[in-house]
Amino acid sequence: MSVAADTVAGMTKEQDWPEVRDAVREFALGLPGAVEEFPWGECVIKVNKKIFVFLGAEDGSHPPAVTVKLTEEDAHAHALSMPGARPAGYGLGKSGWVRVPLDGEGAPRAPLLCDWAEESYRVVAPKRLVAELDASVPPAGPSGEGAE
């Protein structure tokens, strides 16, 4: 079970996309070894000098979106089924990167985007940091809740 899976992930007709973006940013920065950088004037979250989440420009120069690397077939297909989602540009889509818009009807909510950010992290992060993440997640109880 993923770290972000403890909430219901779905879609909503309208949501405050800056809040969703901020939630994904905070979640991603909470992962072991994650850092924020601003190449090309865009916010990205990296681990071990490798990007695992693109959060885009904050100045409104581009439509709001989150881009993540999803190599697990079901998650990749689910992300691409979101309204306006598409393989990422610059040839990144061939490696599993998906750009998911944050605005508009049917945009995914933060918990689902956080699940995808975690999957992207797991694909990009060194095994020792993934092991650190796994060690920090309490085991799921019978109701799906973590142990206390």
Side-chain angles (χ1 to χ4, degrees), residues 43-91:
C43 178
V44 300
I45 311 296
K46 293 182 174 184
V47 62
N48 201 36
K49 300 181 182 179
K50 295 180 181 180
I51 297 171
F52 69 96
V53 177
F54 289 87
L55 293 170
E58 295 180 351
D59 63 5
S61 60
H62 299 288
V66 168
T67 303
V68 288
K69 185 171 186 173
L70 301 173
T71 57
E72 197 278 316
E73 190 175 327
D74 290 340
H76 190 261
H78 186 205
L80 285 174
S81 74
M82 297 289 113
R86 65 177 190 267
Y90 304 103

Side-chain angles (χ1 to χ4, degrees), residues 2-147:
S2 74
V3 172
D6 61 341
T7 55
V8 176
M11 297 182 299
T12 183
K13 288 186 178 183
E14 288 191 33
Q15 58 189 337
D16 184 5
W17 69 261
E19 287 182 15
V20 171
R21 182 184 183 279
D22 288 348
V24 173
R25 178 184 166 275
E26 287 180 37
F27 173 82
L29 286 172
L31 297 171
V35 297
E36 181 176 40
E37 293 186 9
F38 296 88
W40 321 291
E42 295 189 19
C43 178
V44 300
I45 311 296
K46 293 182 174 184
V47 62
N48 201 36
K49 300 181 182 179
K50 295 180 181 180
I51 297 171
F52 69 96
V53 177
F54 289 87
L55 293 170
E58 295 180 351
D59 63 5
S61 60
H62 299 288
V66 168
T67 303
V68 288
K69 185 171 186 173
L70 301 173
T71 57
E72 197 278 316
E73 190 175 327
D74 290 340
H76 190 261
H78 186 205
L80 285 174
S81 74
M82 297 289 113
R86 65 177 190 267
Y90 304 103
L92 293 173
K94 294 177 184 176
S95 299
W97 288 92
V98 179
R99 181 187 179 282
V100 182
L102 296 179
D103 58 350
E105 189 170 328
R109 297 176 72 185
L112 180 56
L113 291 165
C114 289
D115 280 344
W116 292 340
E118 182 183 333
E119 181 178 332
S120 187
Y121 174 89
R122 289 175 179 280
V123 170
V124 173
K127 290 179 183 176
R128 67 179 169 77
L129 291 177
V130 172
E132 185 179 324
L133 173 63
D134 289 340
S136 71
V137 178
S143 66
E145 295 179 15

